[in-house]
Amino acid sequence: MPGVDVGLARGAVVVIISDGWALDDPESVHTQMARLRRLAYRIIWVNPRKIALDYPPVVGGMAAALPFLDAFVSGHSYAALAEVAAAIRADRSDPHENTRTR
């Protein structure tokens, strides 16, 4: 995430497609995600590993990013992309949307 121009995200729905296993320092990811959160309308993280029952997103960059996400979806298959589309369409003010997709 270092070097990402988050200024382009002002008011946007940002979709990040990643398994979250980046080698970036988690503190750097936290800082950049906090900055992105201040600018973006919604942040959606699509992680194909989320579908695995034994996948805990509790370490590294993924753990640092989670508090800033509006939706965390698997996107592991073509059918799961409907969940991604629903997350993009969702209203940021929907308090239940965050818990349904995490």
Side-chain angles (χ1 to χ4, degrees), residues 17-102:
I17 301 173
S18 171
D19 63 6
W21 286 17
L23 299 177
D24 298 296
D25 173 39
E27 185 59 37
S28 175
V29 173
H30 181 274
T31 300
Q32 293 301 318
M33 290 300 295
R35 191 167 163 222
L36 184 59
R37 169 75 287 149
R38 289 189 297 272
L39 297 171
Y41 175 68
R42 289 180 52 76
I43 304 172
I44 300 158
W45 195 298
V46 181
N47 184 331
R49 294 186 180 279
K50 185 179 185 291
I51 192 63
L53 297 176
D54 62 344
Y55 173 70
V58 295
V59 296
M62 193 72 253
L66 266 174
F68 302 101
L69 305 181
D70 293 295
F72 181 51
V73 298
S74 68
H76 67 285
S77 68
Y78 182 75
L81 293 180
E83 188 179 3
V84 175
I88 291 169
R89 286 190 308 269
D91 184 349
R92 183 175 181 188
S93 64
D94 180 353
H96 301 290
E97 197 276 333
N98 287 344
T99 56
R100 281 195 305 262
T101 58
R102 282 193 183 166

